[in-house]
Amino acid sequence: IQKLCDRVASSTLLDDRRDAVRALKSLSKKYRLEVGIQAMEHLIHVLQTDRSDSEIIGYALDTLYNVISNDLEEEEQEENLPKQVDDLGSQFTEIFIKQQENVTLLLTLVEEFDFHVRWPGVKLLTSLLKQQGPQVQQIILVSPMGVSRLMDLLADSREVIRNDGVLLLQQLTKSNAAIQKIVAFENAFERLLDIITEEGNSDGGIVVEDCLLLLQNLLKNNNSNQNFFKEGSYIQRMKPWFEVGDDNCGWSAQKVTNLHLMLQLVRVLVSPTNPPGATSSCQKAMFHCGLLQQLCTILMATGVPADILTETINTVSEVIRGCQMNQDYFASVNAPSNPPRPAIVVLLMSMVNERQPFVLRCAVLYCFQCFLYKNQKGQGEIVSTLLPSTIDATGNSVSAGQLLCGGLFSTDSLSNWCAAVALAHALQENATLKEQLLRVQLATSIGNPPVSLLQQCTNILSQGSKVQTRVGLLMLLCTWLSNCSIAVTHFLHNPANIPFLTGQIAENLGEEEQLVQGLCALLLGISIYYNDNSLENYRKEKLKQLIEKRIGRENFIEKLGFISKHELYSRAAQKPQPSFSSPDHMMFDHEFTKLVKELEGVISKAIYKSSEEDKKEEEVKKTLEQHDNIVTHYKKVIREQDQELEELKQRINTLTSQNEQLQATVTQQVSQIQQHKDQYNLLKVQLGKDTQFHNSHSETFQMNGIQMEEVSKLKEELEEWKNKHELLQGQLREKDSVIEKLKSSQLEMGTTEQSSQTSKPGGLEHNNELQKELEMLRSQIQLQSAEISKLQFENQKLQITNATVDPVLGDSGATAANNSELEGRLEQEIKELKSEVKALSEEKESLKQHLDSSSSTVAILQDEKSKLQQEVAESKKEQDDLLVLLADQDQKLSALKIKLKDLGVPVEDEDDIESGDQGDEDEDGDEEEQD
């Protein structure tokens, strides 16, 4: 070893030094002490100087690891060796870390990506942390980016380095809150949960276990990290861990370990030792993400290993403890049985069953306690199952109350104790239920009258059962009677109770019985302290005198002090979960220890007080109660006034808003009213003028002396004249239509005359006569039209006069004369019109006769016209045939001319041919044909 060390120190060639370090590595396991003493300085020097060569660095790190580490092979260990080995490892570690630069150098080497450097570096650093954890943690904490460099190991793609990195971080985060926070904020939760998921959650291997242990280190007793874990929504990612499925037959040892650690991690987040606010928020998050529901399915599943089931019950207990929402959900969970039973009932059946494992029974008791913790609704439901009105008479279903009573009076002392403690938790800080439980009656045996539950508990106490049973019953009675004067009265009403208690306290018994004596003293003290002096024989003063005579005050206080001095009492006071090494140690409940602390000093003072002091105290209590009542009354009044103030403020706000709206509407209405006023004034002025005009008219009306009756008569006469006028207009329209018809017939006759002239010259004379007659008619029509126009003009005049009649009525008495003149004129005109109408009708008849004669002549002419048209058509056909023949001859002639020209014969022009006779043309044609 010495030679090799010299070679490492003095050789100039790197290969020589490398070989020497390799040789030291091979010797380091067997000759650990020698290599450590002689070679450590040289190896550290190699780490500092030969960083360029990864191989020699790897050998040096391995050698140092073998020297410092205590992880020796089992076959090399001997019985007397481990203690020396531990000392050796810690001594070498102390030498190595004395120079802090060595640790920082190691941190830089761990950053190297080369596997042969990084892996041995991680192992060496882990070993240093195991040997001298706090010192190495402090060096890493003060070195720049020390923790961050180590966090990079979790992201290494090589599983060996990543897994050893997890082990390194486990050692690094032990009991160091500062490092735990840094690691958490370096995204450790995300990376670790990803690794757990990749490895298969609870089905994963030992890597999952290591990750869970690291998570526990980061979260346990670290409120900052717990809050960060909850805020980062990492609780939701825990739910898949507990999806174990229905096929629970394949539970490997590793799976059980993993699931156990997972459940412990949930408990770390909702531990009763955490701040209440943090625990409550985690409990709510677990309910909302479905984690509690998943745990309840495991709880009710079949085939789950006993230790997992026990830990699941403990986990569910702490998830529901003090959280009303979770407690309500747990109360609604049913076991998958037929018929389905509440989960609470199924668990209580396990608790009072002496064949179940002790640890499981403790877990069920803890679950029941957590269900009832700060849950008055749940307490009421449990107690209600004991009350006479709600007990199921058929006996088909077993209730929680029946199970507790059954456990309370069974032969198994552990069931007695568990049932008593469970029932005490149902009464915890609930005076109403303490009073209601006094109504519970028990049928002890057939034929005997029923006994109250309180009486039955005292009966069992006096029978001298096992210590565990008596302790349980005394704890129940102390809880029941504390802060409930009615229960104390009921207890004192039984004349056997006080003598039994004084007899138990006064005896000098062994150590086991001292605990029962202390509890009896506590129960007697409660009976004094909460006594309302309603029973004359058991007033406070008399009970104190009894203690003075039978026991002695000092002896009583000494016996009372046995409780808090007991070792099992101090254990139970540490945490709410009942955890006992054996059933014999199951004596005290956590909540009961709080009650003892509260009452011990109070009872001691109450025993030493004189009757005068008691009276004074009672007076003080009464005054305090009155004061409290006054305070509560004033608080109530203030609260009511606050509510009224709030309501009034709201009303003021609404009224102000309404007022603003109304003011706006008022301003609008004011402007509208002003506009209406202006319009009214204008109308008033106009109406004033109109009234003046009407007044002048009424004056003239009165002056003329014309009455309204005369005006109405005139109006009636006017209406008659109007009707007559309309009749005349109708007659005129008829005449106009007749004239129009005559005009149209005249035009038709004119057209027939023209056609007859063109068709036949023989009818000209007749047509001339008709034309003359027509001219005569036209002249007559013109005269009539002139007369009609005159009548229309007069009609218009009449209309004008009618229109002017109304204003004229209001004038003078001259209107009557005008009316008579108008009537005369109208009568004359009507007579003239009638005569004209007669003349016109006569002319119409003559015209009709002329028209009939002319229509007959027209029919004759039409027949002749049709005949002429037929003749014309025949002549047109003959002409067409001749034209066709001429066209054929022309074609033949042109063809012959072309032939003659071809033969060289001279041909005359077309003009000569046209000027010649037709006969010559024929002769020439014949000669040409002969040629």
Side-chain angles (χ1 to χ4, degrees), residues 446-490:
I446 300 164
N448 292 334
V451 180
S452 70
L453 179 62
L454 186 69
Q455 183 63 48
Q456 185 64 15
C457 289
T458 52
N459 290 345
I460 294 167
L461 267 178
S462 59
Q463 286 168 9
S465 51
K466 288 184 182 178
V467 172
Q468 196 173 38
T469 303
R470 282 182 288 160
V471 167
L473 289 168
L474 284 165
M475 284 197 295
L476 171 60
L477 289 170
C478 288
T479 308
W480 193 347
L481 268 59
S482 65
N483 208 10
C484 184
S485 302
I486 298 167
V488 170
T489 307
H490 274 256

Side-chain angles (χ1 to χ4, degrees), residues 462-617:
S462 59
Q463 286 168 9
S465 51
K466 288 184 182 178
V467 172
Q468 196 173 38
T469 303
R470 282 182 288 160
V471 167
L473 289 168
L474 284 165
M475 284 197 295
L476 171 60
L477 289 170
C478 288
T479 308
W480 193 347
L481 268 59
S482 65
N483 208 10
C484 184
S485 302
I486 298 167
V488 170
T489 307
H490 274 256
F491 179 74
L492 295 173
H493 198 71
N494 186 352
N497 288 339
I498 295 298
F500 167 73
L501 291 175
T502 52
Q504 286 284 315
I505 299 161
E507 286 182 28
N508 289 318
L509 302 168
E511 286 185 10
E512 284 187 359
E513 293 294 328
Q514 282 181 350
L515 191 57
V516 175
Q517 285 183 321
L519 289 167
C520 287
L522 181 68
L523 185 57
L524 185 56
I526 288 167
S527 301
I528 294 168
Y529 186 71
Y530 291 107
N531 191 344
D532 60 356
N533 295 328
S534 57
L535 293 172
E536 187 60 37
N537 294 332
Y538 296 104
R539 294 173 65 82
K540 282 185 180 181
E541 191 59 37
K542 287 188 177 180
L543 289 171
K544 284 181 192 175
Q545 288 171 4
L546 188 69
I547 289 169
E548 182 67 34
K549 288 177 184 177
R550 295 271 180 92
I551 306 161
R553 288 179 185 175
E554 290 78 11
N555 192 18
F556 178 85
I557 298 300
E558 186 187 347
K559 296 285 172 76
L560 185 63
F562 283 162
I563 302 169
S564 55
K565 288 173 186 173
H566 204 282
E567 184 190 351
L568 296 174
Y569 172 89
S570 55
R571 276 191 205 169
Q574 288 172 4
K575 57 179 182 176
Q577 185 185 355
S579 55
F580 307 101
S581 54
S582 70
D584 297 334
H585 293 157
M586 201 175 205
M587 288 292 173
F588 285 107
D589 171 53
H590 178 74
E591 289 297 322
F592 181 72
T593 59
K594 290 181 184 177
L595 184 71
V596 172
K597 277 182 190 174
E598 185 186 328
L599 294 175
E600 192 176 9
V602 175
I603 290 167
S604 300
K605 286 179 184 176
I607 296 297
Y608 281 106
K609 277 178 187 172
S610 62
S611 57
E612 292 175 1
E613 286 176 346
D614 279 338
K615 284 176 183 175
K616 284 179 183 177
E617 192 179 337

Side-chain angles (χ1 to χ4, degrees), residues 159 162 191-201 204 208:
E159 285 193 13
R162 184 199 71 186
R191 291 182 187 180
L192 291 169
L193 291 169
D194 287 342
I195 293 167
I196 291 168
T197 308
E198 285 167 19
E199 294 291 324
N201 293 330
V208 171

